[in-house]
Amino acid sequence: MDCSIAPPVSGLRCGGHWHGGSMLGLPGLRLPPAGFLFLLPFLLLLPAAPAPHRASYKPVIVVHGLFDSSYSFRHLLEYINETHPGTVVTVLDLFDGRESLRPLWEQVQGFREAVAPIMAKAPQGVHLICYSQGGLICRALLSVMDEHNVDSFISLSSPQMGQYGDTDYLKWLFPTSMRSNLYRICYSPWGQEFSICNYWHDPHHDDLYLNASSFLALINGERDHPNATAWRKNFLRVGRLVLIGGPDDGVITPWQSSFFGFYDANETVLEMEEQLVYLRDSFGLKTLLTRGAIVRCPMAEISHTAWHSNRTLYETCIEPWLS
């Protein structure tokens, strides 16, 4: 008998030495001990040993930033596949390139339609990795989706409290404007048709920002609106908020905006715990911190376009939260 493929039959033991066997008419085999025959009926009643089980990793959804596309995240995809094999990773290919300048609420609706079926197929939850402008889109998704099941929301160098700085993006989009006078464009109905103006935050014209901002002031709960209570409740469904950024980013201004810090009227940076949106718990930030659900991961010597391709950053700030 080939013991590697043949199962034990009629009390025979593969690889053993039961010799004799006149009962079966097979020379060289004998009956097993009587004690074993007595126990055999009881052994057959024992439940089968469960197959080894490894819990699968939760699906990961990636949302890109301004002027990006899914191709920008090829390195991040490789890292996840290497460290968490079998993870289903979806890099959403929506509003690429110049389309990323479309109004953020329009983009939120598009991304909402894309992530909803992914969430529906993942009853254990999903992870969001959202880069730069995409971090604001994801925060809005957490606010407007009543039944989202986001475990970790990883905000990767995102201007969560807004942007106030001259960058190459701004110089290309508004070549004749500087940050000191860009409010004249961004806080107009025409300006709010550009995504970057939806989170332009001029600390010297706070009243204009509060009245004109059609996106950031709303998701921050800085301006009253009928959905404020529901959005706060939805946002607090998130399991963990991971904030990533650093002083050498070169684009997010101030860089502390990635951690919900921002300028006051004197352009002194106030940290998250000093911001009114935190002190008032306008959209749930203070509640998340109180329950230990906020992780801050500052990293130096990483430029804005390298956050999603830096292996050390991935291993330190992202991989630990992809359960």
Side-chain angles (χ1 to χ4, degrees):
M1 174 183 289
D2 182 354
C3 291
S4 64
I5 59 174
V9 178
S10 300
L12 299 180
R13 181 163 63 88
C14 246
H17 302 282
W18 294 342
H19 303 290
S22 58
M23 181 180 73
L24 298 175
L26 297 176
L29 294 176
R30 62 181 174 83
L31 291 172
F36 178 84
L37 293 175
F38 175 78
L39 292 173
L40 182 58
F42 299 98
L43 294 175
L44 293 176
L45 295 176
L46 293 176
H53 173 71
R54 178 184 65 79
S56 58
Y57 295 109
K58 297 180 178 71
V60 175
I61 303 170
V62 181
V63 176
H64 66 72
L66 190 65
F67 299 129
D68 276 332
S69 69
S70 58
Y71 182 73
S72 304
F73 297 88
R74 61 195 182 280
H75 298 295
L76 178 62
L77 184 60
E78 291 173 3
Y79 300 155
I80 297 174
N81 286 335
E82 181 181 337
T83 60
H84 287 192
T87 301
V88 177
V89 182
T90 305
V91 183
L92 295 174
D93 199 15
L94 295 170
F95 300 99
D96 294 355
R98 294 189 180 188
E99 288 296 300
S100 64
L101 286 169
R102 299 189 69 81
L104 285 186
W105 282 122
E106 181 179 331
Q107 296 192 50
V108 168
Q109 181 58 32
F111 281 106
R112 180 179 186 172
E113 293 173 1
V115 304
I118 301 174
M119 292 180 179
K121 295 177 182 178
Q124 300 304 313
V126 302
H127 300 302
L128 288 181
I129 301 178
C130 309
Y131 167 63
S132 194
Q133 177 178 279
L136 290 167
I137 292 172
C138 288
R139 185 148 70 89
L141 287 174
L142 295 180
S143 298
V144 301
M145 297 186 74
D146 295 337
E147 301 298 329
H148 78 76
N149 58 352
V150 176
D151 185 1
S152 293
F153 165 32
I154 300 173
S155 172
L156 186 57
S157 187
S158 176
Q160 291 292 353
M161 277 298 288
Q163 170 78 4
Y164 184 67
D166 294 320
T167 67
D168 291 339
Y169 297 149
L170 283 176
K171 292 173 183 176
W172 176 82
L173 189 59
F174 305 113
T176 62
S177 299
M178 299 176 61
R179 72 172 189 169
S180 60
N181 61 20
L182 191 58
Y183 74 92
R184 300 179 188 275
I185 297 175
C186 279
Y187 295 158
S188 70
W190 175 80
Q192 287 293 301
E193 292 298 311
F194 292 90
S195 64
I196 194 168
C197 285
N198 292 159
Y199 50 94
W200 185 254
H201 192 173
D202 189 327
H204 305 293
H205 297 91
D206 203 51
D207 54 341
L208 293 178
Y209 158 74
L210 291 175
N211 289 324
S213 174
S214 63
F215 182 83
L216 185 62
L218 295 181
I219 65 171
N220 276 354
E222 295 173 286
R223 193 168 83 218
D224 291 337
H225 59 91
N227 298 314
T229 300
W231 286 7
R232 184 180 183 278
K233 179 181 178 181
N234 293 340
F235 180 73
L236 288 172
R237 290 176 60 87
V238 71
R240 182 183 300 105
L241 172 60
V242 181
L243 303 173
I244 303 171
D248 303 304
D249 179 272
V251 171
I252 305 303
T253 311
W255 68 268
Q256 293 92 337
S257 182
S258 295
F259 300 94
F260 287 97
F262 204 73
Y263 294 129
D264 64 8
N266 298 316
E267 295 193 27
T268 299
V269 173
L270 302 180
E271 301 298 337
M272 178 180 75
E273 289 86 346
E274 302 173 278
Q275 296 292 328
L276 281 178
V277 295
Y278 174 86
L279 295 172
R280 295 172 178 170
D281 208 15
S282 302
F283 62 94
L285 205 56
K286 187 175 183 179
T287 298
L288 284 184
L289 187 65
T290 300
R291 76 184 191 203
I294 294 181
V295 177
R296 284 176 272 201
C297 193
M299 294 284 287
E301 300 182 0
I302 300 180
S303 64
H304 189 68
T305 56
W307 288 104
H308 41 60
S309 59
N310 186 290
R311 181 63 184 252
T312 301
L313 179 279
Y314 168 76
E315 293 176 346
T316 303
C317 300
I318 298 177
E319 192 274 333
W321 311 113
L322 301 182
S323 59

